[in-house]
Amino acid sequence: MVETGLAVGYLALAAAVGAAYTAPATGYELSIYASTPTATWAALAVVAAISVAVFLTAERYLAPAVLLGGLGAGSVAGLPLIRGYHFYGRSDSLVHLGLVRSIKIGNDPLQLFYPGSHLIATGLAKVAAVDVPRAMMLVMWAYTLLFFASVALCVWFLVPDRRALGVGAFSAFLLLPVNNVSTYLHFHTYSIGMLFVPFVLYLVFSHLIGGDGRERLVERVADGRGAIDRAGLGYDDGAAFDVGLRRPAPTTYLLPPVLFALLLVHPQVALNVMLLLGGMAVAQHAFRWFRPNDPIAGYRLVTLQTIFLTVAFAAWIATHEWQFINTAEAMIQSVSDFVTGDGSATPRVASQRESASSVGASIQVLFVKLFGVAAVYSLLAAGVVAGRLTGYLGPPAGAGSMRSTPDTARDVTALFFAGCLLLFPFFAAHLVGSISTYLFRHVGFLVMLATIFGAVGVRYLLDEESSVSDVDYPWTEPESRSTGRRIAASLPDARTVATVAAVVLVLSLSLATIFPSPFVYLSGSHVPEGEMDGYERAFASQSSGSPVWFSGVRHTSDRYEIALYGAAGAPWDRQVKPAVKKSAPVPEQAMLDGLPTFYANHPEEVVRRDHYFVVAEADRQREVEAYRELRYSAESFEAVAAQPNVGKVRDNGELTVYFVDIEEDPSANAVDDRERIASGRARRTAPSVPVAAASRLSRPTPRPRSVPRAASLPR
C-alpha cells in the first residue's frame, strides 16, 4: 500500500513537471502561479499529500517520502527554469546579469564586492555551454536545493533521529527566509548568501563535537571510513553508528575555505556569521575560565575559524572600502540621529504599510501572508532555545537517538544562543534611519535561523503519543484476516488525516509567497526575451553622433543597458556608442497631459530635448493589475499613443518605444556644448571605470554624466 502510494506520488511529480514544461511562457507573466497550468498544481498537491502522509505514517519509508517532497518543492522553486523563462529577476538582478557577462569576456571578478556567485554562473555558462541568464537561474536553484539539504542536516544534528531529519527537510521546503521584501528567489547576492549559511552552520556544529572521543554521527558522515552496522543503515532508530576511536571529521580544515566562499558570495552575510562565531568563541573561553567542569567547556573551539574569517573580512574590505565605509557611515549616522531624537524607528516598515494601504491591502493580512508561518516557527524556535537552556525541555519523547550523547544538542544550543547575543544588537541597529532599508534582509537571516530551531520545536510536538506512529502494515496481519480488514487497517486514522491536511496547507501558504505575485500585491520578476530584445534594438537605433535620452514608467533604462552590454569600462562586443542617457521616470499626469509639453518645460535644462519613452508590457500589468492603478492608471498608458509629436517607433508585444519630438531648446544646446568639451577632456585623461563601480548600482546613486546633443531619430 505504501509502495503504491509512493509510486503514484512520483508519477504525479513527473506529470507536474511535464505539464509545466510543455506550457512555456510566451510573454511577460505577472504571476507565475496563475500562468502555470492547473494540472501542474493539482499534481503537486498529490505529491505533497503523499510525501507528507508517508513520512508521518510509515517511518521506514522516510527517505523516499522526503525525497519526493524535496523534488516537489524543488520543482516549484525551479518553475522559471522549467517553464523556459529567458531570465528571472528585475532591478538588481539585471545589474548582476551585466556583471556576469562582463566577467565572461575577461573582466577582473575580484573588483566586485561579491563575485562568488557570479564566478559560479560564469563557469557554468562556459562549461555547460548555456546562456548566461539561464546559468544564473540555475545557480539560484542550486543554492535553494543546498538550503533544503543543509537545514535538514542541521536539525538532524540537534535531534539525532530519522524523524527529525524529515521534519527539518519539510521545514526547509517552506523557504521561510524568502520574504520578497528584501530577500528573493531570483539572483540576489544577499539571498544567495543567506541560503548558503545553513551549510556553514552544519560544518560549525560538526566541528564543535569533533575530536573528543565520543560517538558522533557527524564523524561517520564526514570521513566515511568506519564500518557501519547494518541496522544503522536500516530502519531501527536505536541503532548507533559503530565509531569507536576512529579519526574525527576534519572540519578544522574544511571550515576556512567554506567561510571564505561565503565572504565572496556576500560580505554582509559573512559579517553576520562572523558575529555569530565571535559570540560562540567568547562563550567557550568564558566557560573554560570560569566553569571548566561544565560540558560546554569540552567542545572544540571556534576561535581560529573566527579569527580567520575576521582577517579575511578585513582584508577584503580594505580593497573594497568604498562599499563598506558608505554602509558603516550610514549606520552610525542613523543610530546617532535616533539616539538624539532626530531619527525615526522602522521607517521602512512605515513605508511598506503606507504602500499596502494605498492599494487597499490590510497590513495585517499582508503580514500573515508573508510572515505568518515564519512567525510560528520563530515562536517555536524561541521556545526550544529557552526550554533547552533552562532544562525544561529534555530530549524529545520517543526520539531514538543515533548518537550516544544526544544532549550534545543542549550544549550546542547554548553556544549558539551566546553567538546570537552578539548578533541581535547589530540587527537592532537596522531598525532606525536610512539603513532600515536593509531591515528585512536581516529579518530573512533570522528567519533562516528560526527555520532550524523551529523545526526542532516541531519535532518535540511529534512524540510517540501523537498520530504519527507507524501504521499496521497489511502483510504483517494474520492470514485469517480478510482483505477488507487488511485494507482498513492500513488506512490512516482521522488524526493523521488532519495532520497531513494541516502540513499540506502550511506548505501551500508558504510556497505561494516565494515568488512575487498579485497575491502579495507585487508583480512577477519575469524578464521575457522580447523585452530585452526591444531595449537592445532601441539602444542600437541611435544615431552615430549623440544619443536620444530614455525615460520610462517608474524606472529608467540604465539597468537594462548594463544587463545587455556589461559594466562600464569593460563592455562586451555590442557596446552602445554613444552611451545611453536617461532621465527621471515620468509621472502619470505627464502621460495624460502630453509628454512633449512635459519635456519642453522640464525644470532641468538638460532634459529639454527629444526622448525615447519606453513602456514594457510588464510596466502596464504591474501598475494596472498588481498595484491596482495606485500611481498609473490604464487610461494613462492609452493616452500616450494619441498625443501629437509622439510616434511609436517599435513595438514587439513586450516593449513599446515612443519617440517624443520637442522643439530645439537653445539652453539645452549650450549645456550640450559645455558637457561635450568637458567629456572630451575627461576621455583623454581619465582611465576607464572598473567593473566594481557597476556594483554600486545595486543601490543606485546619482552619478555625473556627459550630455551631448540629442539626435533626431526616425519615427
Side-chain angles (χ1 to χ4, degrees):
M1 189 73 176
V2 176
E3 291 94 334
T4 302
L6 286 171
V8 171
Y10 279 99
L11 289 175
L13 175 66
V17 174
Y21 181 78
T22 54
T26 57
Y28 173 74
E29 295 184 349
L30 181 68
S31 170
I32 195 171
Y33 300 103
S35 302
T36 299
T38 304
T40 296
W41 299 118
L44 287 175
V46 173
V47 169
I50 291 176
S51 62
V52 173
V54 173
F55 162 66
L56 291 176
T57 60
E59 195 168 328
R60 66 176 298 179
Y61 292 98
L62 180 144
V66 170
L67 178 61
L68 176 62
L71 292 175
S75 298
V76 175
L79 276 177
L81 285 165
I82 296 172
R83 298 202 54 243
Y85 278 18
H86 173 69
F87 187 63
Y88 185 78
R90 294 180 172 269
S91 189
D92 288 359
S93 292
L94 291 172
V95 176
H96 295 307
L97 173 58
L99 296 177
V100 173
R101 280 173 165 161
S102 293
I103 294 172
K104 189 172 183 289
I105 56 93
N107 211 315
D108 182 8
L110 296 182
Q111 294 184 30
L112 280 179
F113 193 53
Y114 27 62
S117 47
H118 300 76
L119 284 170
I120 298 174
T122 302
L124 182 62
K126 289 185 175 182
V127 173
V130 297
D131 293 338
V132 169
R134 191 162 188 84
M136 294 173 67
M137 292 191 289
L138 284 168
V139 167
M140 190 66 211
W141 188 60
Y143 273 102
T144 304
L145 299 182
L146 178 64
F147 175 80
F148 290 168
S150 301
V151 169
L153 288 174
C154 286
V155 177
W156 195 23
F157 177 91
L158 295 170
V159 184
D161 73 327
R162 301 176 74 249
R163 187 172 297 163
L165 177 66
V167 170
F170 280 99
S171 298
F173 301 159
L174 299 174
L175 284 171
L176 298 179
V178 177
N179 55 46
N180 278 308
V181 180
S182 289
T183 56
Y184 311 94
L185 211 59
H186 56 241
F187 198 96
H188 180 252
T189 51
Y190 185 93
S191 301
I192 289 174
M194 177 187 67
L195 296 176
F196 186 46
V197 167
F199 178 67
V200 178
L201 293 182
Y202 178 72
L203 294 181
V204 171
F205 289 163
S206 62
H207 167 79
L208 286 171
I209 61 131
D212 60 0
R214 306 181 208 175
E215 290 181 1
R216 299 299 182 199
L217 171 62
V218 290
E219 294 173 3
R220 301 295 351 114
V221 173
D223 68 24
R225 297 185 303 143
I228 299 177
D229 184 79
R230 289 179 63 85
L233 287 175
Y235 313 112
D236 182 6
D237 274 345
F241 282 78
D242 179 16
V243 177
L245 298 177
R246 299 272 183 178
R247 184 179 179 181
T251 49
T252 300
Y253 312 105
L254 184 59
L255 259 178
V258 172
L259 291 173
F260 186 71
L262 179 65
L263 175 63
L264 294 182
V265 170
H266 203 288
Q268 175 64 78
V269 180
L271 177 60
N272 296 347
V273 173
M274 185 175 72
L275 293 173
L276 188 65
L277 293 179
M280 296 173 67
V282 170
Q284 285 182 305
H285 286 286
F287 273 98
R288 291 195 175 194
W289 291 335
F290 301 109
R291 300 184 64 181
N293 295 324
D294 192 285
I296 295 179
Y299 288 88
R300 182 182 287 184
L301 294 173
V302 295
T303 307
L304 291 179
Q305 283 71 24
T306 306
I307 293 174
F308 171 82
L309 182 56
T310 303
V311 172
F313 180 82
W316 188 256
I317 289 301
T319 59
H320 302 78
E321 70 278 357
W322 61 268
Q323 181 86 9
F324 179 76
I325 290 175
N326 290 345
T327 304
E329 288 178 348
M331 175 177 289
I332 294 172
Q333 185 64 44
S334 296
V335 174
S336 176
D337 290 345
F338 179 74
V339 172
T340 59
D342 297 329
S344 60
T346 63
R348 173 71 170 180
V349 177
S351 174
Q352 293 291 327
R353 180 171 59 249
E354 292 174 3
S355 298
S357 300
S358 300
V359 297
S362 166
I363 190 64
Q364 293 80 10
V365 172
L366 186 59
F367 175 84
V368 170
K369 289 180 178 180
L370 290 176
F371 301 104
V373 180
V376 173
Y377 263 74
S378 299
L379 292 174
L380 286 172
V384 166
V385 173
R388 297 297 275 146
L389 293 181
T390 60
Y392 180 78
L393 290 177
S401 177
M402 300 179 77
R403 191 184 303 143
S404 60
T405 54
D407 238 18
T408 298
R410 176 183 60 83
D411 303 330
V412 173
T413 301
L415 289 174
F416 192 86
F417 178 72
C420 288
L421 291 178
L422 194 59
L423 190 63
F424 288 155
F426 174 69
F427 284 0
H430 290 80
L431 292 170
V432 299
S434 61
I435 60 171
S436 66
T437 301
Y438 300 102
L439 171 63
F440 286 97
R441 287 188 176 188
H442 299 305
V443 169
F445 189 92
L446 290 176
V447 170
M448 177 272 298
L449 302 179
T451 300
I452 296 172
F453 287 90
V456 175
V458 174
R459 176 62 188 89
Y460 273 93
L461 300 177
L462 302 183
D463 57 30
E464 293 295 338
E465 301 301 322
S466 70
S467 62
V468 291
S469 56
D470 289 345
V471 299
D472 295 326
Y473 298 108
W475 54 82
T476 62
E477 296 297 317
E479 292 295 333
S480 59
R481 282 203 176 192
S482 66
T483 302
R485 294 187 62 185
R486 292 181 186 181
I487 295 175
S490 68
L491 296 177
D493 56 25
R495 293 181 61 190
T496 302
V497 172
T499 303
V500 172
V503 174
V504 172
L505 177 62
V506 169
L507 278 168
S508 302
L509 290 175
S510 186
L511 292 178
T513 60
I514 62 173
F515 295 115
S517 70
F519 178 66
V520 290
Y521 310 102
L522 295 172
S523 58
S525 296
H526 177 206
V527 181
E529 186 174 9
E531 184 175 341
M532 297 298 293
D533 180 70
Y535 270 106
E536 184 175 13
R537 291 178 181 273
F539 294 154
S541 65
Q542 297 179 105
S543 300
S544 58
S546 300
V548 165
W549 282 43
F550 280 77
S551 65
V553 179
R554 202 189 283 260
H555 64 83
T556 55
S557 60
D558 56 342
R559 296 179 188 273
Y560 291 90
E561 182 187 1
I562 293 178
L564 286 166
Y565 307 115
W572 50 317
D573 55 355
R574 290 185 289 173
Q575 178 186 8
V576 174
K577 294 181 179 179
V580 175
K581 303 299 178 183
K582 64 185 179 67
S583 59
V586 173
E588 179 191 27
Q589 200 59 41
M591 296 168 63
L592 292 170
D593 295 343
L595 292 174
T597 302
F598 171 76
Y599 289 123
N601 298 293
H602 200 279
E604 297 183 47
E605 290 182 343
V606 295
V607 181
R608 299 171 191 167
R609 61 190 68 245
D610 298 341
H611 270 73
Y612 269 156
F613 181 69
V614 183
V615 179
E617 176 63 17
D619 296 329
R620 190 192 65 78
Q621 292 193 33
R622 179 189 65 235
E623 301 300 332
V624 176
E625 300 181 37
Y627 295 167
R628 303 182 182 183
E629 301 183 293
L630 172 62
R631 295 186 182 177
Y632 297 87
S633 63
E635 181 186 0
S636 64
F637 287 96
E638 296 171 358
V640 173
Q643 297 172 8
N645 296 322
V646 175
K648 183 186 296 184
V649 297
R650 193 172 304 280
D651 184 0
N652 64 5
E654 294 298 331
L655 193 77
T656 304
V657 182
Y658 299 94
F659 181 72
V660 183
D661 189 10
I662 68 172
E663 293 183 5
E664 196 172 82
D665 190 296
S667 62
N669 294 340
V671 173
D672 284 349
D673 293 336
R674 292 194 299 269
E675 293 294 337
R676 186 183 299 110
I677 295 172
S679 63
R681 291 173 179 171
R683 282 193 297 270
R684 289 193 297 269
T685 59
S688 61
V689 180
V691 67
S695 64
R696 303 185 192 187
L697 289 175
S698 60
R699 288 289 167 193
T701 55
R703 56 180 180 178
R705 53 181 181 250
S706 60
V707 191
R709 177 177 174 145
S712 295
L713 299 186
R715 298 172 217 172

